[in-house]
Every structure is written in structure tokens, then in C-alpha cells.
Amino acid sequence: MTRFVAAILLVFGCTACDSLSPVESADQQEQEEPASPSELYLVSLVNVARTIARSCGASQHAATSPVSWNSKLETAAQSHSEDMAFEDFFSHTGSDGSTVANRVTATAYSWRTVGENIYAGFTEAERAMTAWLDSPGHCRNIMDPDFKEVGMAVVVSSTSTYQAYWTQVFGAQR
């Protein structure tokens, strides 16, 4: 039987960025459209979920605005999924001690707030989304109206414990 694990959410609000200086201003960062059909599909899964009011554990969330794809957030997600798959671990903390804030900052994304969902097990995006929506903390990230952009990645490694490692990174620029 294939196992999956959904980790506790890790969200950094604007107070967590006090010691970080922006790399570029928000008006220098361009909004972008998904570059591929798979990216378009992934962002559509998030946006469909955001169109429906829902309970995330004990908290109620109204339907909210869609997010757009951001390749810098995708890069942060990709690097973390690769790290988990190739180093064979499952955690919001990278093998080098990095946090989602560190990984996003390394992409030159000037953020006001960031959040991360991780999932391990199945390769299908729909299964990852279902697991995240069933987890109160992950669901809150998906439904958070402060998040305006998203990037996602999955890395598959036949030699790792869970085989497929998903990372979903949300953000809003300064």
C-alpha cells in the first residue's frame, strides 16, 4: 500500500521578514502566466479550491480570489522537492537547515508573506490537493486571501522512501 504524509503547515507572515531586505521592488517583479500546460493545470487546481467557501479544521474560509503562477516560487518549490527526494527526508526544513523563507528569498522574489505545503506519496496532483484540503493547516494556506501567487513542483525518486515529493509555495510580493 502506498503511503502518504501531509506535514504541518509552515507560514511566515510579514513579521518574519523584518530581517530580510527586498531584492527588488514589487513593481519590478512582473506578473506572469503559466509557461506550460502542466503549470496551468496545477494553478487551476488551487484556484478551483479557492472558489469554494470551506472549513479548514475549526476555521471557516470564504471563497477568495485566484492566485497566479510565479516561476520564482516554482523554483523554490522545485529545489525543496529535489532536496527531500534526493536526500530522502520529509520536512519543511531543508537538509541544509533552510526554511521556505530562505528558499524563496534565494530566488530573488521580494516577498511580504510566504507559505508552504508539502506532500509525499502519490504522483498525481489531484491526490496531493485532496490531502492538503483535508489537512486544516494546508487548507488554510490554500484559502489564505493574502497569498496572490503560487509555484508548485513534484520530484520523483524511485530510491526514496515516498517516491514522489510535492512542494507548493504561496507568496505575495512587497
Side-chain angles (χ1 to χ4, degrees):
M1 176 172 76
T2 305
R3 298 182 306 170
F4 75 90
V5 177
I8 303 301
L9 94 118
L10 179 61
V11 176
F12 292 89
C14 56
T15 58
C17 63
D18 289 344
S19 64
L20 299 174
S21 57
V23 176
E24 53 188 91
S25 68
D27 54 4
Q28 290 173 309
Q29 295 189 27
E30 297 179 17
Q31 291 275 329
E32 56 186 88
E33 292 299 316
S36 72
S38 63
E39 291 168 351
L40 183 60
Y41 180 67
L42 292 173
V43 78
S44 74
L45 290 176
V46 174
N47 287 331
V48 166
R50 288 169 67 96
T51 65
I52 302 166
R54 65 181 71 241
S55 297
C56 298
S59 60
Q60 299 297 314
H61 292 268
T64 191
S65 59
V67 291
S68 60
W69 188 263
N70 184 282
S71 62
K72 290 178 180 179
L73 296 178
E74 176 191 18
T75 298
Q78 180 74 28
S79 70
H80 192 52
S81 287
E82 288 174 358
D83 187 26
M84 290 189 294
F86 301 135
E87 297 298 324
D88 197 19
F89 73 98
F90 185 72
S91 173
H92 285 286
T93 303
S95 63
D96 62 355
S98 65
T99 64
V100 64
N102 301 135
R103 292 185 291 272
V104 170
T105 299
T107 70
Y109 182 90
S110 179
W111 57 273
R112 176 176 48 84
T113 185
V114 295
E116 177 179 83
N117 290 342
I118 59 175
Y119 169 86
F122 299 104
T123 58
E124 299 88 358
E126 300 83 4
R127 288 183 120 163
M129 281 298 296
T130 298
W132 286 327
L133 289 170
D134 288 344
S135 165
H138 295 97
C139 178
R140 283 191 296 273
N141 268 353
I142 291 166
M143 297 303 294
D144 189 333
D146 289 338
F147 293 137
K148 306 301 181 195
E149 298 174 305
V150 68
M152 295 172 62
V154 61
V155 173
V156 177
S157 169
S158 62
T159 60
S160 62
T161 301
Y162 297 107
Q163 314 264 321
Y165 293 80
W166 287 89
T167 306
Q168 185 178 53
V169 178
F170 292 94
Q173 297 179 39
R174 289 183 188 259

